[in-house]
Amino acid sequence: MNSLAEEAFTVLREVCENLGIDHRDAELLRVRSNAVFKLRSEIVVRIATAPNALTRLPLVLAVARWLAEQGFPAVRPADEISEQPVVHEGRVVTFWHYVPASGRPTTTELGEILRSLHLLPVPPVALRRFVDPLCEVRRAVDRSEELTPCQRAWLRDRIAELTERWSDLGVEDSPVLLHGDAWIDNLLRCTDGHVVLCDWDGVAVGPREWDLVHTYHGQRRFGLTAADVDAFADAYGSDLRSWPGYSTLMEVRDIYAVGIHIRNAAADPFSRRELPRRLNSLTRGEQHARWYMAEPVSVSQ
């Protein structure tokens, strides 16, 4: 078990014991920007690893409650557990109702749910404005001890270039409520067939294009097909590929997708392997090199 997971299990045990919650047989679902556990009580415990979690998560919870009031299909906080969020030795912990999933959602369903989301009014919550997509990556580059001097210099130059190009796009004109990480893996199909959007940690007010780009980038890097992207665009009602800023947005998304592995590389073996894969393809200008969300499974001959 990697040190991120070990630390997360320790935090889970101590927080649950403090609150009188049964954590026996807790299942670790994933460790990435959060360590996510499922308890036997059908509660999901999310332990944040991001440095700005304490300022961000109260707003995430407020938006989730507001979405529930609107009847929007999103995961619900388990507010019966405690006053949330819970802070334990620098880690920020939230509790959510588990959504039993059945089958993989489609990009058509993702396009439909994002169209509905972007038609909602901006909630009465002091959400951050999404104006600098690479701010967290910039901080991660400055703090990382895993990068070589050459990697750090290349990233700093690239981030500066793309930040300037982003600011020239004029995307702040018609801001909407953003999910912030609208990737197909954050859409769950419930056992009754309807879909629910989860993982609202990136919620913000900003350009709708940021929510849309994840699917297009999924074809570029993570194995989605052209048909997946076409279905998404049809369902949403517009195609990002026809937008003049598309190329810049995809390049920004490439750099954004490196940030989590810069932050986690010191404690997570997968991030240590995935980080050079992504950086090497970027520095070589490989626009369609395959990246991975989890360790690829080798196929024996």
Side-chain angles (χ1 to χ4, degrees):
M1 186 185 301
N2 66 61
S3 56
L4 268 181
E6 290 173 349
E7 178 190 347
F9 268 107
T10 299
V11 173
L12 175 77
R13 183 180 65 252
E14 293 176 354
V15 167
C16 286
E17 288 176 354
N18 289 342
L19 296 175
I21 299 171
D22 184 0
H23 60 82
R24 291 173 297 172
D25 302 321
E27 178 186 358
L28 178 62
L29 301 180
R30 69 173 181 271
V31 180
R32 207 151 56 218
S33 54
N34 294 276
V36 182
F37 294 90
K38 175 181 175 290
L39 304 182
R40 292 194 296 183
S41 57
E42 301 290 286
I43 295 296
V44 169
V45 184
R46 294 169 61 86
I47 302 171
T49 62
N52 64 345
L54 184 55
T55 58
R56 179 170 40 79
L57 284 176
L59 301 176
V60 172
L61 291 162
V63 171
R65 295 170 187 132
W66 180 84
L67 289 169
E69 293 172 0
Q70 311 307 308
F72 186 85
V75 291
R76 308 296 190 224
D79 285 328
E80 68 273 21
I81 292 292
S82 67
E83 291 291 327
Q84 299 198 59
V86 173
V87 181
H88 181 79
E89 296 186 356
R91 292 301 188 198
V92 186
V93 183
T94 54
F95 301 86
W96 302 81
H97 289 289
Y98 177 67
V99 177
S102 176
R104 183 168 173 81
T106 66
T107 52
T108 294
E109 291 167 318
L110 180 60
E112 291 171 346
I113 203 169
L114 287 181
R115 181 180 62 194
S116 297
L117 176 67
H118 295 162
L119 289 173
L120 289 175
V122 173
V125 176
L127 286 173
R128 68 186 177 99
R129 291 276 172 169
F130 188 85
V131 295
D132 183 1
L134 298 180
C135 61
E136 292 184 11
V137 185
R138 190 182 299 111
R139 284 195 289 266
V141 169
D142 290 340
R143 295 169 178 171
S144 173
E145 298 180 359
E146 301 300 311
L147 297 170
T148 68
C150 288
Q151 289 171 332
R152 192 186 314 277
W154 185 88
L155 280 164
R156 283 173 171 164
D157 288 346
R158 185 67 171 149
I159 290 169
E161 175 200 347
L162 288 173
T163 299
E164 183 176 354
R165 286 169 57 188
W166 167 271
S167 65
D168 291 338
L169 291 179
V171 291
E172 296 87 7
D173 296 342
S174 301
V176 299
L177 176 61
L178 293 178
H179 175 272
D181 189 17
W183 170 241
I184 189 68
D185 286 356
N186 285 330
L187 191 66
L188 306 174
R189 176 176 286 121
C190 303
T191 51
D192 64 4
H194 79 278
V195 293
V196 170
L197 199 53
C198 69
D199 194 355
W200 290 83
D201 284 15
V203 68
V205 176
R208 69 186 69 241
E209 290 85 2
W210 187 250
D211 270 352
L212 303 183
V213 73
H214 294 71
T215 297
Y216 297 84
H217 192 253
Q219 182 188 0
R220 180 171 175 140
R221 297 297 188 190
F222 298 110
L224 293 185
T225 66
D228 291 328
V229 176
D230 290 343
F232 174 81
D234 288 344
Y236 186 80
S238 66
D239 194 334
L240 194 59
R241 290 169 293 197
S242 63
W243 183 53
Y246 177 72
S247 176
T248 292
L249 190 57
M250 288 286 275
E251 292 175 56
V252 169
R253 190 67 185 81
D254 262 347
I255 296 295
Y256 182 91
V258 173
I260 182 61
H261 296 295
I262 297 174
R263 290 194 297 273
N264 286 357
D268 177 28
F270 171 66
S271 283
R272 278 198 297 276
R273 289 186 288 270
E274 185 67 8
L275 177 59
R277 185 202 318 275
R278 297 189 183 191
L279 283 178
N280 290 342
S281 61
L282 289 174
T283 56
R284 291 195 295 257
E286 297 172 353
Q287 295 189 1
H288 299 283
R290 178 66 190 269
W291 296 351
Y292 297 94
M293 296 287 192
E295 199 68 59
V297 178
S298 60
V299 179
S300 58
Q301 299 296 319

